[in-house]
């Protein structure tokens, strides 16, 4: 499974990040991303319902020869009430979220609850599959499957980025 972190959004401190759309640079970065993904000859393209992820998937779909499907289960962890944060505060919040997965400590959803909905959304996908999602969700799902720590993986991700996860049915 190819987990894709969406491309670079237009940052808007006045709007929740779940409403952000891609920046011009983010749209441009989707060309090289599509070329990279096409080499895997994926059979399905599934995207989060959030605009920045949907736009990323829409822009890579033609190169993959696939119709994009949307799943609300792939959205980012619920943190609408968190608001705009300085990078160090966001980093601290993500660290706390992954270190205390059973508790609601950063936003309105625990890491465990978010991961459960994500796992349900990707269950049974045919391989190879491309799943366009968000940094925190990608890190929560992929880290234990590739032997990395979730916060460290989250910090290493670029916009966009791809993490290959071994298939497990």
């Amino acid at each position: 499974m190819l987990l894709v972190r969406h491309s670079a959004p237009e940052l808007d401190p006045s709007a929740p990040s779940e409403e952000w759309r891609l920046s011009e640079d983010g749209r441009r970065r989707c060309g090289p991303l599509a070329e990279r993904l096409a080499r895997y000859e994926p059979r399905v393209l599934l995207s989060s319902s959030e605009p920045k992820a949907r736009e990323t998937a829409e822009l890579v779909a033609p190169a993959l020869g696939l119709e994009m499907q949307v799943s609300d289960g792939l959205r980012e962890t619920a943190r609408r009430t968190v608001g705009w944060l300085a990078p160090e505060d966001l980093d601290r919040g993500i660290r706390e979220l992954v270190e205390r997965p059973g508790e609601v400590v950063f936003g309105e959803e625990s890491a465990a609850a978010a991961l459960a909905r994500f796992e349900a959304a990707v269950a049974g996908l045919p391989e190879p599959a491309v799943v366009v999602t968000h940094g925190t969700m990608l890190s929560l799902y992929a880290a234990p499957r590739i032997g990395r720590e979730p916060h460290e993986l989250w910090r290493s991700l670029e916009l966009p980025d791809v993490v290959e996860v071994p298939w497990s049915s």
Side-chain angles (χ1 to χ4, degrees):
M1 180 182 310
L2 301 168
L3 298 178
V4 176
R5 183 184 192 190
H6 61 79
S7 197
E10 187 70 46
L11 303 180
D12 181 358
S14 69
S17 62
E18 67 192 42
E19 296 175 6
W20 293 351
R21 302 185 66 83
L22 292 185
S23 66
E24 184 177 325
D25 182 50
R27 288 187 292 277
R28 186 181 46 72
R29 292 179 188 190
C30 288
L33 172 63
E35 291 173 12
R36 182 175 174 192
L37 295 171
R39 293 192 302 254
Y40 291 90
E41 300 179 1
R43 295 174 49 201
V44 66
L45 172 61
L46 189 62
S47 174
S48 160
S49 55
E50 292 186 30
K52 56 189 171 278
R54 274 194 342 262
E55 288 179 49
T56 300
E58 289 168 353
L59 290 168
V60 302
L64 305 180
L66 295 171
E67 294 284 325
M68 174 193 66
Q69 301 170 39
V70 176
S71 173
D72 194 49
L74 303 178
R75 71 184 186 282
E76 183 60 285
T77 56
R79 50 183 190 241
R80 193 173 202 37
T81 58
V82 170
W84 180 262
L85 296 173
E88 61 274 8
D89 294 328
L90 176 62
D91 185 78
R92 188 173 20 261
I94 297 297
R95 178 180 295 282
E96 190 170 5
L97 178 77
V98 302
E99 288 178 351
R100 298 169 52 194
E103 301 174 49
V104 177
V105 294
F106 185 61
E108 305 83 48
E109 181 178 41
S110 70
L115 181 58
R117 79 168 147 73
F118 187 92
E119 288 173 334
V122 300
L125 286 179
E127 278 295 297
V130 172
V131 175
V132 182
T133 189
H134 307 273
T136 311
M137 293 310 308
L138 186 157
S139 299
L140 289 171
Y141 184 83
R145 290 165 172 85
I146 62 171
R148 299 211 24 211
E149 189 275 322
H151 182 253
E152 178 269 326
L153 176 58
W154 176 81
R155 290 187 78 191
S156 74
L157 293 173
E158 297 182 15
L159 292 161
D161 212 339
V162 179
V163 176
E164 189 172 354
V165 177
W167 182 246
S168 59
S169 46

